[in-house]
Amino acid sequence: MAEFTMDLNDEQKGVRDWLHGFAADVIRPAAAEWDEREETPWPVIQEAAKIGIYSLDFYAQQFFDPTGLGIPMAMEELFWGDAGIALSIVGTGLAAVGVLANGTEEQIGTWIPQMYGDANDVKVAAFCSSEPDAGSDVASMRTRAVYDAAKDEWVLNGTKTWATNGGIANVHVVVAVVDPELGSKGHASFIVPPNTPGLSQGQKFKKHGIRASHTAEVVLEDVRVPGSCLLGGKDKLDERMARARERAKAGGGERVKNAAMATFEASRPAVGAMAVGTARAAYEEALEYARTRTQFGRPIIDNQGVAFQLADMRTQIDAARLLVWRASWMATTGKKFESAEGSMSKLFASETAKKVTGQAIQILGGNGFTREYPVERMHRDAAIYTIFEGTSEIQRLVIARTLSGLPIR
């Protein structure tokens, strides 16, 4: 088992510096343009693919880093460059995690490569869980999957919302209700292959932040997928449903997590690392501005009111990173989240990003409120971290339930 250390090894430092160079030289110069355009930055994704950043191999290498720090380190550097573009680069990863968490080895080998394409023909994938009336409340999900035994096909109907890459993806991973009577325990995940009839893009959202990342509704109308597209397979699903029904009859709670929750739980520290990257970027902008901006004959950092803010910002960023690293290390080394450490990392890092980016605007004053300086965009981007993949309120609920052992509502 890998021992926890605060020091990155030489290989990790090399990867970090490589990613930082790409973020500084490719992502940052393009950030303002694609934020204004509110379009998927395909040229930047292709550049990432050409050098191996946007690829299954790269994320696999980081995922299997024995210290657990590969993914959070990569997320921090890319999102330091720009959150919207970075999310376009890494958004496919959520769908990939959905397959890794629930799929068979054959499904993993078949579908994940198709999510990325190659350097000459890049593709993206989408994970579709949220619905208009079912965000944090996954038990209210209405999208249905009905098995057609005669054709060994599943028929999907419903509408998904807030889907990153929704409608433009080559592969969609869709969470649907198989047995409504079991609530969230009656859900399963399905692969919708490229060009499947019945799947279409609904509304594309015009967002406050992360505007270079495509977010849209996904409409499913009698979408038929082969039985082999049920992640994990039907035998495994039938066994899980049978256990859930037996526990329901006995008055007990089903301990098996549903497909959507398994995906979100695995990705929470990574989202925390994204938030750390955005917060760090805003802090560095504010620090440089405070060193060079002169008022009343001296740099504004010479005033305690500014200097103390910067001290707090840096302290909070480092604390957030340590929580993310702890959770990532625990997940990789098989240590149980006995105090909801994954949720802790996401909660603290996301709240830190909102606070730090707001402080950065304050330090820059009127300049910070304009689009001539990047902290305005960073502040808009940071708002998403306390919302997606589990709001801050949901993270607090998870932590409170874990600590108390009670079904706090």
CSV table of all heavy atoms in Angstrom, one decimal, residues 195-246:
chain,number,residue,atom,x,y,z
A,195,ASN,N,-25.6,7.7,-32.7
A,195,ASN,CA,-26.6,7.8,-33.8
A,195,ASN,C,-27.8,6.9,-33.5
A,195,ASN,O,-28.5,6.4,-34.4
A,195,ASN,CB,-26.0,7.4,-35.2
A,195,ASN,CG,-24.8,8.3,-35.5
A,195,ASN,OD1,-24.9,9.5,-35.4
A,195,ASN,ND2,-23.7,7.7,-36.0
A,196,THR,N,-28.1,6.6,-32.2
A,196,THR,CA,-29.3,5.8,-31.9
A,196,THR,C,-30.5,6.7,-32.1
A,196,THR,O,-30.7,7.8,-31.6
A,196,THR,CB,-29.2,5.4,-30.4
A,196,THR,OG1,-28.0,4.6,-30.2
A,196,THR,CG2,-30.4,4.6,-30.0
A,197,PRO,N,-31.5,6.1,-32.9
A,197,PRO,CA,-32.7,6.9,-33.1
A,197,PRO,C,-33.5,7.1,-31.8
A,197,PRO,O,-33.5,6.3,-30.9
A,197,PRO,CB,-33.5,5.9,-34.0
A,197,PRO,CG,-32.5,5.0,-34.7
A,197,PRO,CD,-31.4,4.9,-33.6
A,198,GLY,N,-34.1,8.3,-31.8
A,198,GLY,CA,-34.9,8.7,-30.6
A,198,GLY,C,-34.2,9.6,-29.6
A,198,GLY,O,-34.9,10.2,-28.8
A,199,LEU,N,-32.9,9.7,-29.7
A,199,LEU,CA,-32.2,10.5,-28.8
A,199,LEU,C,-31.9,11.9,-29.5
A,199,LEU,O,-31.4,11.9,-30.6
A,199,LEU,CB,-30.9,9.9,-28.3
A,199,LEU,CG,-30.1,10.7,-27.3
A,199,LEU,CD1,-29.3,9.8,-26.3
A,199,LEU,CD2,-29.1,11.7,-27.9
A,200,SER,N,-32.3,13.0,-28.8
A,200,SER,CA,-32.1,14.3,-29.4
A,200,SER,C,-31.7,15.3,-28.3
A,200,SER,O,-31.9,15.1,-27.2
A,200,SER,CB,-33.3,14.7,-30.2
A,200,SER,OG,-34.4,14.9,-29.3
A,201,GLN,N,-31.1,16.4,-28.8
A,201,GLN,CA,-30.8,17.5,-27.9
A,201,GLN,C,-32.0,18.4,-27.7
A,201,GLN,O,-32.6,18.8,-28.7
A,201,GLN,CB,-29.6,18.3,-28.4
A,201,GLN,CG,-29.2,19.4,-27.5
A,201,GLN,CD,-28.1,20.3,-28.1
A,201,GLN,OE1,-27.1,19.8,-28.5
A,201,GLN,NE2,-28.3,21.6,-28.2
A,202,GLY,N,-32.3,18.7,-26.4
A,202,GLY,CA,-33.3,19.6,-26.1
A,202,GLY,C,-32.7,21.0,-26.0
A,202,GLY,O,-31.9,21.4,-26.8
A,203,GLN,N,-33.1,21.7,-25.0
A,203,GLN,CA,-32.6,23.1,-24.8
A,203,GLN,C,-31.2,23.1,-24.4
A,203,GLN,O,-30.7,22.3,-23.6
A,203,GLN,CB,-33.4,23.7,-23.6
A,203,GLN,CG,-32.9,25.1,-23.2
A,203,GLN,CD,-33.6,25.6,-22.0
A,203,GLN,OE1,-34.4,24.9,-21.4
A,203,GLN,NE2,-33.3,26.9,-21.6
A,204,LYS,N,-30.4,24.0,-25.1
A,204,LYS,CA,-29.0,24.2,-24.7
A,204,LYS,C,-29.0,25.4,-23.8
A,204,LYS,O,-29.6,26.5,-24.1
A,204,LYS,CB,-28.1,24.5,-25.9
A,204,LYS,CG,-26.7,24.9,-25.5
A,204,LYS,CD,-25.9,25.3,-26.7
A,204,LYS,CE,-24.5,25.8,-26.2
A,204,LYS,NZ,-23.6,26.3,-27.3
A,205,PHE,N,-28.4,25.3,-22.6
A,205,PHE,CA,-28.5,26.3,-21.6
A,205,PHE,C,-27.4,27.4,-21.8
A,205,PHE,O,-26.3,27.1,-22.1
A,205,PHE,CB,-28.4,25.7,-20.2
A,205,PHE,CG,-29.5,24.8,-19.8
A,205,PHE,CD1,-29.3,23.4,-19.9
A,205,PHE,CD2,-30.7,25.2,-19.5
A,205,PHE,CE1,-30.3,22.5,-19.6
A,205,PHE,CE2,-31.7,24.4,-19.2
A,205,PHE,CZ,-31.5,23.0,-19.2
A,206,LYS,N,-27.9,28.7,-21.6
A,206,LYS,CA,-27.0,29.8,-21.6
A,206,LYS,C,-26.7,30.1,-20.1
A,206,LYS,O,-27.5,30.5,-19.4
A,206,LYS,CB,-27.6,31.0,-22.3
A,206,LYS,CG,-27.9,30.8,-23.8
A,206,LYS,CD,-28.5,32.0,-24.4
A,206,LYS,CE,-27.5,33.1,-24.6
A,206,LYS,NZ,-26.4,32.8,-25.5
A,207,LYS,N,-25.4,29.9,-19.8
A,207,LYS,CA,-25.1,29.8,-18.4
A,207,LYS,C,-24.3,31.0,-17.8
A,207,LYS,O,-23.7,31.8,-18.6
A,207,LYS,CB,-24.2,28.6,-18.1
A,207,LYS,CG,-24.8,27.3,-18.6
A,207,LYS,CD,-24.1,26.0,-18.1
A,207,LYS,CE,-22.7,26.0,-18.7
A,207,LYS,NZ,-22.6,25.8,-20.2
A,208,HIS,N,-24.4,31.2,-16.5
A,208,HIS,CA,-23.7,32.3,-15.8
A,208,HIS,C,-22.1,32.1,-16.0
A,208,HIS,O,-21.4,33.0,-16.1
A,208,HIS,CB,-24.1,32.2,-14.3
A,208,HIS,CG,-23.4,33.1,-13.4
A,208,HIS,ND1,-23.5,34.5,-13.5
A,208,HIS,CD2,-22.5,32.9,-12.4
A,208,HIS,CE1,-22.8,35.1,-12.6
A,208,HIS,NE2,-22.2,34.1,-11.9
A,209,GLY,N,-21.7,30.8,-15.8
A,209,GLY,CA,-20.3,30.6,-15.9
A,209,GLY,C,-20.0,29.3,-16.7
A,209,GLY,O,-20.9,28.7,-17.3
A,210,ILE,N,-18.8,28.8,-16.6
A,210,ILE,CA,-18.3,27.6,-17.4
A,210,ILE,C,-19.0,27.6,-18.8
A,210,ILE,O,-19.5,26.6,-19.3
A,210,ILE,CB,-18.5,26.3,-16.7
A,210,ILE,CG1,-19.9,26.1,-16.2
A,210,ILE,CG2,-17.5,26.2,-15.5
A,210,ILE,CD1,-20.2,24.6,-15.8
A,211,ARG,N,-19.0,28.8,-19.5
A,211,ARG,CA,-19.7,28.9,-20.7
A,211,ARG,C,-19.1,28.2,-21.9
A,211,ARG,O,-19.8,28.0,-22.9
A,211,ARG,CB,-20.0,30.4,-21.0
A,211,ARG,CG,-20.7,31.1,-19.8
A,211,ARG,CD,-21.3,32.4,-20.2
A,211,ARG,NE,-20.4,33.4,-20.7
A,211,ARG,CZ,-20.7,34.7,-20.9
A,211,ARG,NH1,-21.9,35.1,-20.4
A,211,ARG,NH2,-19.9,35.5,-21.4
A,212,ALA,N,-17.8,27.8,-21.8
A,212,ALA,CA,-17.2,27.1,-22.9
A,212,ALA,C,-17.6,25.6,-22.9
A,212,ALA,O,-17.2,24.9,-23.8
A,212,ALA,CB,-15.7,27.3,-22.9
A,213,SER,N,-18.3,25.2,-21.8
A,213,SER,CA,-18.7,23.8,-21.7
A,213,SER,C,-20.2,23.7,-22.1
A,213,SER,O,-21.0,24.5,-21.6
A,213,SER,CB,-18.5,23.3,-20.2
A,213,SER,OG,-19.1,22.1,-20.0
A,214,HIS,N,-20.4,22.8,-23.0
A,214,HIS,CA,-21.8,22.6,-23.5
A,214,HIS,C,-22.7,21.9,-22.5
A,214,HIS,O,-22.4,20.8,-22.0
A,214,HIS,CB,-21.7,21.7,-24.8
A,214,HIS,CG,-23.0,21.4,-25.4
A,214,HIS,ND1,-23.6,22.1,-26.4
A,214,HIS,CD2,-23.9,20.4,-25.2
A,214,HIS,CE1,-24.7,21.6,-26.8
A,214,HIS,NE2,-24.9,20.5,-26.0
A,215,THR,N,-23.8,22.5,-22.1
A,215,THR,CA,-24.8,21.9,-21.2
A,215,THR,C,-26.1,22.0,-21.8
A,215,THR,O,-26.6,23.0,-22.2
A,215,THR,CB,-24.8,22.7,-19.8
A,215,THR,OG1,-23.4,22.9,-19.4
A,215,THR,CG2,-25.6,22.0,-18.8
A,216,ALA,N,-26.8,20.8,-21.8
A,216,ALA,CA,-28.1,20.8,-22.5
A,216,ALA,C,-29.0,19.7,-22.0
A,216,ALA,O,-28.6,18.8,-21.2
A,216,ALA,CB,-27.9,20.6,-24.0
A,217,GLU,N,-30.3,19.8,-22.4
A,217,GLU,CA,-31.2,18.7,-22.2
A,217,GLU,C,-31.0,17.6,-23.2
A,217,GLU,O,-30.5,17.8,-24.3
A,217,GLU,CB,-32.7,19.2,-22.3
A,217,GLU,CG,-33.1,20.1,-21.2
A,217,GLU,CD,-34.5,20.6,-21.4
A,217,GLU,OE1,-35.0,20.6,-22.6
A,217,GLU,OE2,-35.2,20.9,-20.4
A,218,VAL,N,-31.3,16.4,-22.8
A,218,VAL,CA,-31.3,15.2,-23.6
A,218,VAL,C,-32.7,14.6,-23.6
A,218,VAL,O,-33.2,14.2,-22.5
A,218,VAL,CB,-30.2,14.2,-23.2
A,218,VAL,CG1,-30.3,12.9,-24.1
A,218,VAL,CG2,-28.8,14.8,-23.3
A,219,VAL,N,-33.3,14.5,-24.8
A,219,VAL,CA,-34.6,13.9,-24.9
A,219,VAL,C,-34.6,12.5,-25.4
A,219,VAL,O,-33.9,12.2,-26.4
A,219,VAL,CB,-35.5,14.8,-25.8
A,219,VAL,CG1,-36.9,14.2,-25.9
A,219,VAL,CG2,-35.6,16.2,-25.3
A,220,LEU,N,-35.3,11.6,-24.7
A,220,LEU,CA,-35.3,10.2,-25.1
A,220,LEU,C,-36.7,9.8,-25.4
A,220,LEU,O,-37.6,9.8,-24.6
A,220,LEU,CB,-34.7,9.3,-24.0
A,220,LEU,CG,-33.3,9.7,-23.4
A,220,LEU,CD1,-33.2,9.5,-22.0
A,220,LEU,CD2,-32.3,8.9,-24.2
A,221,GLU,N,-36.9,9.4,-26.7
A,221,GLU,CA,-38.3,9.1,-27.2
A,221,GLU,C,-38.2,7.7,-27.8
A,221,GLU,O,-37.7,7.5,-28.9
A,221,GLU,CB,-38.8,10.1,-28.2
A,221,GLU,CG,-39.0,11.5,-27.6
A,221,GLU,CD,-39.4,12.5,-28.6
A,221,GLU,OE1,-38.8,12.6,-29.7
A,221,GLU,OE2,-40.5,13.1,-28.4
A,222,ASP,N,-38.7,6.7,-27.1
A,222,ASP,CA,-38.6,5.3,-27.6
A,222,ASP,C,-37.2,4.9,-28.1
A,222,ASP,O,-37.1,4.4,-29.1
A,222,ASP,CB,-39.6,5.1,-28.7
A,222,ASP,CG,-41.1,5.1,-28.1
A,222,ASP,OD1,-41.3,4.7,-26.9
A,222,ASP,OD2,-42.0,5.5,-28.9
A,223,VAL,N,-36.2,5.2,-27.3
A,223,VAL,CA,-34.8,4.9,-27.6
A,223,VAL,C,-34.6,3.5,-27.3
A,223,VAL,O,-34.7,3.0,-26.1
A,223,VAL,CB,-33.9,5.8,-26.8
A,223,VAL,CG1,-32.4,5.3,-27.0
A,223,VAL,CG2,-34.0,7.3,-27.2
A,224,ARG,N,-34.3,2.7,-28.3
A,224,ARG,CA,-34.0,1.3,-28.1
A,224,ARG,C,-32.5,1.0,-28.2
A,224,ARG,O,-31.8,1.4,-29.1
A,224,ARG,CB,-34.7,0.4,-29.2
A,224,ARG,CG,-36.2,0.4,-29.1
A,224,ARG,CD,-36.9,-0.5,-30.1
A,224,ARG,NE,-38.3,-0.8,-29.8
A,224,ARG,CZ,-38.7,-1.9,-29.1
A,224,ARG,NH1,-37.8,-2.8,-28.7
A,224,ARG,NH2,-39.9,-2.1,-28.8
A,225,VAL,N,-32.0,0.3,-27.1
A,225,VAL,CA,-30.6,-0.1,-27.1
A,225,VAL,C,-30.6,-1.6,-26.8
A,225,VAL,O,-31.4,-2.2,-26.1
A,225,VAL,CB,-29.9,0.7,-26.0
A,225,VAL,CG1,-29.9,2.2,-26.3
A,225,VAL,CG2,-30.4,0.4,-24.6
A,226,PRO,N,-29.5,-2.2,-27.3
A,226,PRO,CA,-29.4,-3.7,-27.1
A,226,PRO,C,-29.3,-4.0,-25.6
A,226,PRO,O,-28.8,-3.2,-24.8
A,226,PRO,CB,-28.1,-4.0,-27.9
A,226,PRO,CG,-27.9,-2.9,-28.8
A,226,PRO,CD,-28.5,-1.7,-28.2
A,227,GLY,N,-29.6,-5.2,-25.3
A,227,GLY,CA,-29.5,-5.7,-23.9
A,227,GLY,C,-28.1,-5.6,-23.4
A,227,GLY,O,-27.9,-5.3,-22.2
A,228,SER,N,-27.1,-5.7,-24.2
A,228,SER,CA,-25.7,-5.6,-23.8
A,228,SER,C,-25.3,-4.2,-23.4
A,228,SER,O,-24.3,-3.9,-22.8
A,228,SER,CB,-24.8,-6.0,-25.0
A,228,SER,OG,-25.0,-5.2,-26.1
A,229,CYS,N,-26.2,-3.2,-23.6
A,229,CYS,CA,-25.9,-1.8,-23.2
A,229,CYS,C,-26.4,-1.5,-21.8
A,229,CYS,O,-26.2,-0.4,-21.3
A,229,CYS,CB,-26.6,-0.8,-24.2
A,229,CYS,SG,-25.9,-0.8,-25.8
A,230,LEU,N,-27.0,-2.4,-21.1
A,230,LEU,CA,-27.2,-2.3,-19.7
A,230,LEU,C,-25.9,-2.5,-18.9
A,230,LEU,O,-25.3,-3.6,-18.9
A,230,LEU,CB,-28.3,-3.3,-19.2
A,230,LEU,CG,-28.4,-3.5,-17.7
A,230,LEU,CD1,-28.9,-2.2,-17.0
A,230,LEU,CD2,-29.4,-4.6,-17.4
A,231,LEU,N,-25.4,-1.4,-18.2
A,231,LEU,CA,-24.2,-1.5,-17.6
A,231,LEU,C,-24.2,-2.6,-16.4
A,231,LEU,O,-25.1,-2.5,-15.6
A,231,LEU,CB,-23.7,-0.2,-17.0
A,231,LEU,CG,-23.3,0.9,-18.1
A,231,LEU,CD1,-22.9,2.2,-17.4
A,231,LEU,CD2,-22.2,0.3,-19.0
A,232,GLY,N,-23.3,-3.5,-16.5
A,232,GLY,CA,-23.2,-4.5,-15.5
A,232,GLY,C,-23.9,-5.8,-15.9
A,232,GLY,O,-23.7,-6.9,-15.4
A,233,GLY,N,-24.9,-5.7,-16.9
A,233,GLY,CA,-25.6,-6.9,-17.4
A,233,GLY,C,-26.9,-7.1,-16.6
A,233,GLY,O,-27.1,-6.7,-15.5
A,234,LYS,N,-27.8,-7.9,-17.3
A,234,LYS,CA,-29.1,-8.1,-16.7
A,234,LYS,C,-29.1,-9.0,-15.5
A,234,LYS,O,-29.9,-8.9,-14.6
A,234,LYS,CB,-30.1,-8.6,-17.8
A,234,LYS,CG,-31.5,-8.6,-17.3
A,234,LYS,CD,-32.5,-8.8,-18.5
A,234,LYS,CE,-33.9,-8.6,-18.0
A,234,LYS,NZ,-34.3,-9.4,-16.9
A,235,ASP,N,-28.2,-10.0,-15.5
A,235,ASP,CA,-28.2,-10.9,-14.4
A,235,ASP,C,-27.8,-10.2,-13.1
A,235,ASP,O,-28.4,-10.4,-12.0
A,235,ASP,CB,-27.1,-12.0,-14.6
A,235,ASP,CG,-27.6,-13.0,-15.7
A,235,ASP,OD1,-28.8,-13.0,-16.0
A,235,ASP,OD2,-26.7,-13.8,-16.2
A,236,LYS,N,-26.9,-9.3,-13.2
A,236,LYS,CA,-26.4,-8.5,-12.0
A,236,LYS,C,-27.6,-7.6,-11.6
A,236,LYS,O,-27.8,-7.5,-10.4
A,236,LYS,CB,-25.2,-7.7,-12.3
A,236,LYS,CG,-24.6,-7.0,-11.2
A,236,LYS,CD,-23.4,-6.2,-11.6
A,236,LYS,CE,-22.8,-5.4,-10.4
A,236,LYS,NZ,-21.5,-4.7,-10.8
A,237,LEU,N,-28.3,-7.0,-12.5
A,237,LEU,CA,-29.4,-6.1,-12.2
A,237,LEU,C,-30.5,-6.9,-11.5
A,237,LEU,O,-31.0,-6.5,-10.5
A,237,LEU,CB,-29.9,-5.5,-13.5
A,237,LEU,CG,-31.2,-4.6,-13.3
A,237,LEU,CD1,-30.9,-3.4,-12.4
A,237,LEU,CD2,-31.8,-4.2,-14.6
A,238,ASP,N,-30.8,-8.1,-12.1
A,238,ASP,CA,-31.9,-8.9,-11.5
A,238,ASP,C,-31.6,-9.3,-10.1
A,238,ASP,O,-32.5,-9.3,-9.2
A,238,ASP,CB,-32.2,-10.1,-12.3
A,238,ASP,CG,-32.8,-9.8,-13.7
A,238,ASP,OD1,-33.4,-8.7,-13.8
A,238,ASP,OD2,-32.8,-10.7,-14.6
A,239,GLU,N,-30.3,-9.7,-9.8
A,239,GLU,CA,-29.9,-10.0,-8.5
A,239,GLU,C,-30.0,-8.8,-7.5
A,239,GLU,O,-30.5,-9.0,-6.4
A,239,GLU,CB,-28.5,-10.5,-8.5
A,239,GLU,CG,-28.3,-11.9,-9.2
A,239,GLU,CD,-26.8,-12.3,-9.3
A,239,GLU,OE1,-26.0,-11.5,-8.7
A,239,GLU,OE2,-26.5,-13.3,-10.0
A,240,ARG,N,-29.6,-7.7,-8.0
A,240,ARG,CA,-29.7,-6.5,-7.1
A,240,ARG,C,-31.1,-6.1,-6.8
A,240,ARG,O,-31.5,-5.7,-5.7
A,240,ARG,CB,-28.9,-5.3,-7.8
A,240,ARG,CG,-28.9,-4.0,-7.0
A,240,ARG,CD,-27.9,-3.1,-7.5
A,240,ARG,NE,-28.0,-2.7,-8.9
A,240,ARG,CZ,-28.8,-1.7,-9.3
A,240,ARG,NH1,-29.5,-1.0,-8.4
A,240,ARG,NH2,-28.9,-1.4,-10.6
A,241,MET,N,-32.0,-6.2,-7.8
A,241,MET,CA,-33.4,-5.9,-7.6
A,241,MET,C,-34.1,-6.8,-6.7
A,241,MET,O,-34.9,-6.4,-5.8
A,241,MET,CB,-34.1,-5.9,-9.0
A,241,MET,CG,-33.7,-4.9,-10.0
A,241,MET,SD,-34.1,-3.2,-9.6
A,241,MET,CE,-32.4,-2.6,-9.1
A,242,ALA,N,-33.7,-8.1,-6.8
A,242,ALA,CA,-34.3,-9.1,-5.9
A,242,ALA,C,-33.9,-8.9,-4.4
A,242,ALA,O,-34.7,-8.9,-3.5
A,242,ALA,CB,-33.8,-10.5,-6.3
A,243,ARG,N,-32.6,-8.5,-4.2
A,243,ARG,CA,-32.2,-8.2,-2.9
A,243,ARG,C,-32.9,-7.0,-2.3
A,243,ARG,O,-33.3,-6.9,-1.2
A,243,ARG,CB,-30.6,-7.9,-2.8
A,243,ARG,CG,-29.8,-9.2,-3.1
A,243,ARG,CD,-28.4,-9.0,-2.6
A,243,ARG,NE,-27.8,-7.8,-3.2
A,243,ARG,CZ,-27.1,-7.8,-4.4
A,243,ARG,NH1,-27.0,-9.0,-5.0
A,243,ARG,NH2,-26.6,-6.7,-4.9
A,244,ALA,N,-33.1,-6.0,-3.2
A,244,ALA,CA,-33.8,-4.7,-2.8
A,244,ALA,C,-35.2,-5.0,-2.4
A,244,ALA,O,-35.7,-4.5,-1.4
A,244,ALA,CB,-33.7,-3.7,-3.9
A,245,ARG,N,-35.9,-5.9,-3.2
A,245,ARG,CA,-37.3,-6.2,-2.8
A,245,ARG,C,-37.4,-7.0,-1.5
A,245,ARG,O,-38.3,-6.8,-0.7
A,245,ARG,CB,-37.9,-7.0,-4.0
A,245,ARG,CG,-38.0,-6.2,-5.3
A,245,ARG,CD,-38.7,-7.0,-6.4
A,245,ARG,NE,-38.6,-6.4,-7.7
A,245,ARG,CZ,-37.8,-6.7,-8.6
A,245,ARG,NH1,-37.0,-7.7,-8.5
A,245,ARG,NH2,-37.8,-6.0,-9.8
A,246,GLU,N,-36.4,-7.9,-1.3
A,246,GLU,CA,-36.4,-8.7,-0.1
A,246,GLU,C,-36.2,-7.8,1.1
A,246,GLU,O,-36.9,-7.9,2.1
A,246,GLU,CB,-35.4,-9.8,-0.1
A,246,GLU,CG,-35.7,-11.0,-1.1
A,246,GLU,CD,-37.0,-11.7,-0.7
A,246,GLU,OE1,-37.2,-11.9,0.6
A,246,GLU,OE2,-37.8,-11.9,-1.5
